[in-house]
Amino acid sequence: MNMNNQEKTTKSVPTTGKMDMRAALIMVLVMMAPMLDTTMTNIGINTILKDLNSTVNTIQWVTSAYVLALGLAVPLAGWLVNQMSGKLLMIIAQIGFLIGSLASGIATNVPMLLAGRIVQGAAAGIIIPLATTLMLKMAQGQNLGQLMAVVGLPIVFAPILGPTVGGALIKFWSWHWLFYINIPLVVAALVLVLMYLPTFEPDAADRKPFDLFGFLLIIGLFSGLIVAVTNFSSNDIFGQMSVLIPGFIGIDCLLVYIVYAFKQPDKALLPIKLFDNAHFSASALLLFMSGLMVNGAMFALPLFLQNIRHLSVIMTGVYLIAQGAGMLVTRTQVGKLTDAYGAKWVVIISLVLAVVTTIPFAYFTTTTPDWLILTMLFLMGLSRSGVTIPIMSDSYTGLDPKLIPEATVTTRMAQNIGGSIATAILAAVIASYEGNNVATTAMMSTAYYHTFIWIAVGTAVAIIPALFLSVKTKEAA
């Protein structure tokens, strides 16, 4: 009997280095489509907007809905992995992403596209954290650094490949191929998962009821705020019911959740006691605010390059390679600096660099030299790695190990939902200056001037919570 159980466990989670690396490479392919999808779609926002006769304010939901659904699905993924086989959950999520991609590709209007994007985002919100969780289980403390380096490849290359591939697809086919291209990637990954991925049966001791009430409150909180911001941008009237009602729903959901989490600390999806740790509180807030610099900027930059610089979609993708290259250069060094000196000064210096490299875009025009724009994009990329990586690392500093799973869920949600709110805010800024009619060059220049000023100011404000991140002294090191 003991021998049978041992054989079952071995089959469920293999421990040989060779099998670990093969599974890690499968995970790279599994995560590739969801990771590329956001950057590819951003490059096509302007084309989709024109083809579907939409507005910036409406079409921003193509990005916001995806990122919001992704962020809200993360806690669901953390619960589901303890309820069913990890392999089965991955298969279901991939099929969901496949259906969402197909629905987005065949869309002929904005509502159809949004429906597909929501399905895509929810599936991606399960796939990405699930892939990391399963690899951690498989590593079992061995070859962890090597495995995580392999699994991290999609994160490194998505900002470089996404805009270029997306631009080429639109140039030679149509924006629909931004979603069709996912189909062969997902099918190939699905076949490999079916053939080679272990089952990852859940431990019965980890099973617990899902906090449905708390989950619904979180959905109401963030959805209400995003809808309020979007409706406000339509006519710049704060007092209208279409703004006040969703805004108050969001605030009420927040207040109810705080009371609920205090009274039911063991049931709450996101425990309030996480925020007793100053480093975690600062990290969660910073990850939420980093959406303005990361997701918001990635939404605004392609629109700026196409509408102000009049670049084609494929050239816009080529330009954005500079930003991805900057991220790639600093990715490994930032980790070493954080380990040596703590997150505080690495993040603060990176935020200052981000502000300095964002402000020039408010003043760039059609006559600005190409080399200057490319240089600023590269420097902007350098600063991005110096923000997200140290903050993610510092969110676990001094935290009770029992709270690590909840902390992981909270930080991932903060980052993704912050990005969706940031995108909605920037779309509102652009729409408020462009108006609903055909915008003149002067109107568009004014709109993007204010957009990048908003990004710069939001990034500068983030320096305040960064002061509460950890710092390592020479004695501690």
Side-chain angles (χ1 to χ4, degrees):
M1 183 69 179
N2 291 336
M3 184 175 292
N4 290 337
N5 289 337
Q6 185 177 0
E7 289 176 357
K8 182 178 179 180
T9 303
T10 303
K11 184 177 179 181
S12 175
V13 184
T15 57
T16 63
K18 183 177 179 181
M19 188 63 180
D20 287 353
M21 190 53 61
R22 181 169 67 179
L25 292 173
I26 293 174
M27 291 305 178
V28 169
L29 185 58
V30 164
M31 291 192 293
M32 189 61 72
M35 294 298 294
L36 284 174
D37 198 76
T38 301
T39 50
M40 285 197 302
T41 305
N42 281 333
I43 204 74
I45 285 293
N46 203 51
T47 304
I48 297 171
L49 183 153
K50 294 176 180 177
D51 188 56
L52 297 182
N53 297 315
S54 185
T55 63
V56 172
N57 192 46
T58 300
I59 211 69
Q60 64 88 14
W61 281 101
V62 173
T63 298
S64 292
Y66 177 87
V67 179
L68 180 62
L70 191 156
L72 292 174
V74 168
L76 189 61
W79 178 76
L80 286 173
V81 75
N82 292 322
Q83 311 304 312
M84 65 173 70
S85 157
K87 180 174 183 175
L88 176 60
L89 180 57
M90 181 64 77
I91 291 170
I92 293 172
Q94 284 185 291
I95 292 174
F97 192 83
L98 190 66
I99 293 172
S101 298
L102 183 60
S104 300
I106 64 175
T108 56
N109 54 55
V110 174
M112 286 180 62
L113 180 57
L114 289 181
R117 291 292 283 165
I118 290 171
V119 174
Q120 270 191 310
I126 294 175
I127 291 172
I128 296 173
L130 177 62
T132 304
T133 299
L134 296 186
M135 283 313 305
L136 287 170
K137 286 186 176 183
M138 182 173 290
Q140 296 183 355
Q142 299 179 358
N143 302 322
L144 188 59
Q146 184 182 11
L147 287 171
M148 289 300 104
V150 174
V151 174
L153 288 175
I155 301 173
V156 175
F157 289 107
I160 299 175
L161 295 177
T164 312
V165 173
L169 290 172
I170 295 173
K171 172 73 174 178
F172 298 109
W173 286 289
S174 70
W175 64 263
H176 300 275
W177 280 92
L178 295 173
F179 307 105
Y180 290 147
I181 193 65
N182 291 328
I183 296 174
L185 289 174
V186 176
V187 169
L190 193 56
V191 170
L192 291 174
V193 167
L194 286 167
M195 292 177 62
Y196 299 112
L197 197 69
T199 57
F200 294 101
E201 294 296 339
D203 189 341
D206 294 331
R207 292 181 178 176
K208 62 179 182 179
F210 183 66
D211 180 19
L212 180 60
F213 182 66
F215 184 61
L216 292 176
L217 287 175
I218 292 172
I219 291 177
L221 163 61
F222 293 111
S223 299
L225 294 179
I226 292 175
V227 171
V229 170
T230 304
N231 290 342
F232 171 71
S233 69
S234 298
N235 50 24
D236 292 332
I237 300 176
F238 180 76
Q240 61 184 351
M241 289 297 102
S242 62
V243 175
L244 294 177
I245 291 176
F248 282 131
I249 289 175
I251 295 172
D252 289 342
C253 285
L254 172 62
L255 296 176
V256 172
Y257 185 84
I258 292 174
V259 174
Y260 167 71
F262 268 117
K263 291 189 173 182
Q264 303 285 345
D266 296 330
K267 294 182 179 180
L269 187 63
L270 307 178
I272 294 295
K273 58 185 175 183
L274 279 170
F275 297 93
D276 291 339
N277 183 298
H279 297 314
F280 178 84
S281 299
S283 297
L285 179 58
L286 278 165
L287 286 170
F288 183 84
M289 297 179 70
S290 72
L292 193 62
M293 188 183 74
V294 180
N295 298 72
M298 286 305 296
F299 172 77
L301 280 170
L303 291 173
F304 166 80
L305 292 172
Q306 292 175 58
N307 292 329
I308 302 299
R309 297 289 296 179
H310 304 298
L311 296 180
S312 66
V313 285
I314 195 166
M315 283 307 299
T316 299
V318 171
Y319 267 58
L320 292 176
I321 289 176
Q323 189 180 47
M327 292 179 63
L328 187 60
V329 167
T330 53
R331 183 174 177 81
T332 55
Q333 296 305 315
V334 162
K336 294 178 181 178
L337 289 171
T338 303
D339 289 339
Y341 303 104
K344 178 178 177 179
W345 292 111
V346 175
V347 172
I348 289 176
I349 292 171
S350 298
L351 287 171
V352 171
L353 178 60
V355 173
V356 171
T357 55
T358 299
I359 291 176
F361 282 92
Y363 298 95
F364 285 161
T365 65
T366 54
T367 59
T368 304
D370 291 337
W371 67 265
L372 182 57
I373 293 177
L374 290 169
T375 300
M376 286 299 139
L377 285 170
F378 178 76
L379 293 174
M380 187 183 287
L382 293 179
S383 66
R384 285 179 63 181
S385 291
V387 173
T388 55
I389 294 175
I391 294 173
M392 287 295 292
S393 174
D394 207 50
S395 63
Y396 299 105
T397 300
L399 199 66
D400 185 344
K402 295 180 180 179
L403 294 174
I404 287 179
E406 289 83 358
T408 301
V409 168
T410 305
T411 51
R412 287 185 180 274
M413 285 184 65
Q415 189 173 20
N416 287 292
I417 294 173
S420 63
I421 291 178
T423 302
I425 291 173
L426 294 183
V429 172
I430 295 172
S432 66
Y433 287 98
E434 285 189 354
N436 295 323
N437 299 318
V438 177
T440 64
T441 302
M443 291 168 63
M444 285 194 292
S445 296
T446 302
Y448 289 105
Y449 165 82
H450 286 280
T451 298
F452 287 111
I453 291 298
W454 269 74
I455 295 174
V457 171
T459 305
V461 171
I463 294 175
I464 297 174
L467 294 171
F468 296 91
L469 296 176
S470 67
V471 59
K472 293 183 178 178
T473 62
K474 291 183 179 179
E475 291 78 7

